Amino acid sequence: MGTDHSQKDTTPTLIGSVQRALRLLEAMSAEGGVTAKRLARLTGIPLPTVYHLLRTLSHEGYVQREGGSFRLADDLPLAS
């Protein structure tokens, strides 16, 4: 009746929205100030999703908006 742990699936559970947010951060790091439309093209993430992710990243202090462009915040929350 014991469980055979040797047969356990070792594939990690990945969260797609976190992966997409990280792709945006990576693209902003490489590009500097960049529009949402360009981010969508660079990452392959649909534009509405890019806007939702940017809004969340901005709210959490990771992204700053400058006019029509987005860039990484000067003081990233992880750096403090």
Side-chain angles (χ1 to χ4, degrees), residues 40-80:
R41 275 190 249 126
L42 288 170
T43 61
I45 300 170
L47 186 58
T49 303
V50 168
Y51 276 116
H52 290 299
L53 291 168
L54 287 172
R55 189 176 308 118
T56 302
L57 290 167
S58 178
H59 175 79
E60 296 298 326
Y62 288 87
V63 171
Q64 291 179 328
R65 185 174 189 164
E66 293 179 342
S69 293
F70 296 87
R71 65 177 181 82
L72 294 178
D74 291 330
D75 297 317
L76 292 174
L78 293 176
S80 48

Side-chain angles (χ1 to χ4, degrees), residues 24 27-28 34-44 50 54 70:
L24 292 181
M28 282 184 275
V34 62
T35 65
K37 195 174 201 177
R38 175 112 174 104
L39 284 169
R41 275 190 249 126
L42 288 170
T43 61
V50 168
L54 287 172
F70 296 87

